[in-house]
Amino acid sequence: MEYETFMRDVVNVARGDMREAGYEELTTPEEVDQAFAREGTSLVMINSICGCAGGIARPAASYAIHYDKRPDHLVTVFAGQDREATEQARTYFDGEPPSSPSFALLKDGKFQAMLGRHEIEGFSAVDVVGKLQQLFDEYCEEI
């Protein structure tokens, strides 16, 4: 019972981190399809409870968006928690292998780029911010 309470707390903190950063949480396949159908650019953060998500990916997701160019929409799905929503999101990523944490960039509902776990784990949050902002430079409009 204590483990379940601990894990629920960890998940709630991880979810809260993304909401506080301004990301819309997608918890069902229908929400994924609706969000991904929007015009403009969308950054999708595939959240998880691993250490590199909490120590690198979520801080990078929060800080990267404070930039001259940024996506029109910020959304997140939670791997291992909202499984159906995560699986639906991954159907949009053109054959990219499942990876969490990770980031995907869509433009007008079409997959453009992926920043997988192998480009997050072992790097600093600042490194990942730089990688995300390079994607923003390539695909996003100035705000």
Side-chain angles (χ1 to χ4, degrees):
M1 191 66 158
E2 289 178 24
Y3 178 76
E4 290 175 10
T5 301
F6 170 76
M7 289 308 298
R8 188 172 38 253
D9 290 346
V10 169
V11 168
N12 287 338
V13 167
R15 288 183 190 278
D17 287 347
M18 297 308 297
R19 284 191 305 267
E20 288 174 23
Y23 286 72
E24 175 188 358
E25 194 171 25
L26 308 175
T27 61
T28 68
E30 295 78 21
E31 290 174 348
V32 168
D33 288 338
Q34 289 171 359
F36 288 13
R38 296 178 186 145
E39 289 185 14
T41 52
S42 297
L43 179 64
V44 183
M45 195 280 188
I46 295 85
N47 202 356
S48 71
I49 58 171
C50 72
C52 66
I56 302 166
R58 287 194 299 271
S62 179
Y63 290 111
I65 59 176
H66 301 285
Y67 192 59
D68 293 343
K69 293 183 178 182
R70 64 174 268 181
D72 300 307
H73 312 286
L74 304 170
V75 298
T76 183
V77 294
F78 206 129
Q81 301 300 310
D82 301 318
R83 292 175 189 197
E84 292 175 354
T86 303
E87 288 305 313
Q88 184 64 18
R90 288 178 171 153
T91 67
Y92 286 81
F93 304 155
D94 289 346
E96 289 284 335
S99 180
S100 58
S102 60
F103 296 91
L105 191 73
L106 299 150
K107 187 167 188 169
D108 298 329
K110 303 257 188 290
F111 174 74
Q112 302 298 310
M114 180 71 106
L115 194 66
R117 181 184 179 112
H118 68 281
E119 297 173 279
I120 297 168
E121 187 176 33
F123 292 90
S124 72
V126 172
D127 292 334
V128 177
V129 166
K131 292 175 186 186
L132 288 169
Q133 289 176 344
Q134 285 178 337
L135 293 177
F136 300 169
D137 282 337
E138 187 171 347
Y139 297 103
C140 301
E141 302 292 323
E142 283 195 42
I143 53 172

